[in-house]
Structures are given as C-alpha cells and as structure tokens.
Amino acid sequence: MDQDVQDRALPIANVGRIMKQILPPSAKISKEGKQLMQECVTEFISFVTGEASDKCHKENRKTVNGDDICWALSSLGFDNYAEAIGRYLHIYRQGEREKINHTKKYENPQNQTQINRAPPPPLLLSRVENPPPTNQSG
Amino acid sequence: MEDSIGGSSSNDNNIIKEQDRLLPIANVGRLMKQILPQNAKISKEAKETMQECVSEFISFVTSEASEKCRKERRKTVNGDDICWALATLGFDDYAEPMRRKSRTKIQEASTNQNDLC
C-alpha cells in the first residue's frame, strides 16, 4: 500500500472491532462491509473537518478546537451528535481542569517554597544583622 | 476471597478498553490535517472530540445494519446493509457513492478472479 493510500485510510482492524461491539456475538461482518465503513468514516472526518476549517478561516484562527467540531456537526445537520458531543466536551474539559489541579496539588508546595524562598544561611544573616565594626582610623 | 477476585476480573472484561472503543488518534489527526490548510493546527481536544464522533458514527450505522440482518435472519452484515443503514439514517449523500464504490469493487474482484481462471 503506497503512502498516500495509507494516510487516507483508517485501520480496518479497529473499524471492525468497533462494529463487532455493536453486533450480537454470533453475528459476522463481511470484509466488504468493513471496507465500506472505513471509507464512510474517512469521508465523515473530511466532511466535518472541512466545515470546522472554514469557520476557523473566516474567524482568522489557526487552531481548530473542540467547539469548532461541535459547531460543524450542528451546521451539517448532525444535531443529535452536536448535542452529545457538546456534553462530552464539557466533561472532557472538567477532566482536564481536574488533572491540572491534581498535578498542582501533588507537586508538594512545601518543598516548592523551600526551594524558591530558601532562607539565607545563618552566617550571612549574622553578617547583615551585626556588621563588623568599620576601621575608623585611616 | 477467591470469589471476589473472580468477580472483579469478570467486571474488567465487561469494561471496553479505550483502544477498542476508539480509532487511533494519530490516524484521525492525520486525516484531519489533510483537509486543513498547511499553516493550520488541530488541538488535542479537537482530535479527541472527532475520535468520539467517529466511534458514535460507526456504532450508529452498524446498529441499524445489524437490526436489518436480525429481521432478515442473516448472520453476516455486508456492504449493502451498510449502504441501506446510511440511507435509512439520513446519510443519503453517503449511501449512493458508497453503493457505487461497492459495486465497482465487486466487479473488479470478479474480473481478477476470471483472469486467474
């Protein structure tokens, strides 16, 4: 399979695996069925991404984000998807926030302050507090 | 004690692994990138959102095709069932090109078979 075809295709094994989860245990999927679904999915991704890309282009933005995908789904008539994906995005972002908070919490803030604000060594302190008498003669 | 261990392992089997539920993010991202202008970027969040969408799409279409096969007492879901499901679910724009593609592939396969004979 040449590189271009490889880039265009999603792994058929994974597509088949997702399909199999929906079917009853005794059911089977033909190779042609998997290939067709593979092509549908590729088309679906292109379709939605294209719409999201246009939105970003019009708004002079370089990065496509989750909201753009959500908007594209809605714009293309996948309203049920857009609604579900909107909920997913909300949960996803909550999870990301919690992850950040969790990391901050367990970075051991006590050690952090000791490193950042380590008190000067006693010798230095004594020098500052009790400066040696200056030699007046001379 | 042993029972509880057995129970937990069976629960683990019921949980669908992330890699079984979703298509690889690298492949999804690569496909998305091909559509975007060269200077554009895709956030991780957008890729993961698309991953979820795609899984939902596959499940949605497969479920409809599966139902058709069940009613017709057939065990194997084929390309025509997928095309029928797409049309039934309102993806008419997809169904026709896919049906044509499917027919072309079948013809090519039979031609190759004849050549071998």
Side-chain angles (χ1 to χ4, degrees):
Chain A
M1 195 191 283
D2 61 30
Q3 191 56 42
D4 187 48
V5 175
Q6 214 164 8
D7 280 352
R8 285 281 303 158
L10 290 160
I12 199 159
N14 296 61
V15 172
R17 213 175 287 144
I18 296 169
M19 291 174 82
K20 214 163 172 52
Q21 283 162 19
I22 302 300
L23 300 174
S26 60
K28 288 177 171 60
I29 314 156
S30 72
K31 188 186 172 200
E32 173 214 19
K34 287 179 197 173
Q35 283 174 338
L36 213 56
M37 184 62 86
Q38 186 187 29
E39 283 169 26
C40 282
V41 168
T42 302
E43 206 54 49
F44 177 82
I45 292 173
S46 305
F47 194 38
V48 177
T49 305
E51 197 70 15
S53 173
D54 286 349
K55 184 176 193 277
C56 289
H57 178 71
K58 281 174 190 164
E59 294 175 8
N60 291 324
R61 287 187 292 112
K62 285 236 171 86
T63 305
V64 176
N65 59 40
D67 287 324
D68 297 320
I69 301 295
C70 211
W71 179 89
L73 287 165
S74 189
S75 164
L76 294 167
F78 301 112
D79 298 299
N80 297 345
Y81 276 61
E83 203 179 306
I85 290 300
R87 285 197 297 272
Y88 161 79
L89 263 176
H90 180 68
I91 295 162
Y92 174 89
R93 283 168 179 163
Q94 268 183 330
E96 288 296 300
R97 272 198 296 273
E98 277 167 25
K99 226 184 275 181
I100 291 162
N101 292 341
H102 187 272
T103 311
K104 278 182 185 169
K105 190 179 173 183
Y106 289 96
E107 258 174 6
N108 204 340
Q110 284 184 330
N111 289 357
Q112 201 71 13
T113 50
Q114 275 186 324
I115 294 161
N116 293 343
R117 301 178 194 167
L123 187 63
L124 191 64
L125 269 175
S126 64
R127 273 190 199 150
V128 174
E129 285 164 9
N130 310 309
T134 50
N135 195 350
Q136 297 293 334
S137 60
Chain B
M1 193 68 185
E2 277 174 32
D3 288 347
S4 67
I5 294 166
S8 69
S9 68
S10 67
N11 284 350
D12 289 348
N13 292 340
N14 291 337
I15 297 163
I16 299 167
K17 287 182 206 160
E18 197 82 326
Q19 66 258 36
D20 289 346
R21 195 178 66 82
L22 300 169
L23 291 173
I25 197 161
N27 297 66
V28 171
R30 206 176 294 139
L31 275 176
M32 291 173 82
K33 212 164 173 54
Q34 283 167 17
I35 305 299
L36 299 173
Q38 281 200 314
N39 63 341
K41 288 179 170 62
I42 314 158
S43 70
K44 179 173 174 265
E45 174 196 78
K47 288 178 197 173
E48 291 185 7
T49 303
M50 185 62 87
Q51 254 188 320
E52 290 286 339
C53 282
V54 165
S55 287
E56 202 52 49
F57 177 82
I58 295 172
S59 303
F60 193 39
V61 176
T62 305
S63 177
E64 199 67 23
S66 170
E67 196 55 31
K68 183 177 192 278
C69 289
R70 191 186 65 79
K71 281 176 186 166
E72 294 175 8
R73 300 196 172 178
R74 288 186 291 111
K75 285 244 170 83
T76 305
V77 176
N78 58 40
D80 284 332
D81 298 320
I82 301 294
C83 287
W84 179 88
L86 286 166
T88 305
L89 295 168
F91 301 111
D92 308 77
D93 301 336
Y94 278 59
E96 202 39 55
M98 289 301 159
R99 198 171 270 125
R100 279 200 298 272
K101 224 172 228 183
S102 179
R103 284 201 195 109
T104 311
K105 275 193 175 163
I106 291 164
Q107 280 169 356
E108 280 172 8
S110 62
T111 309
N112 293 343
Q113 203 70 35
N114 292 340
D115 290 347
L116 287 170
C117 295

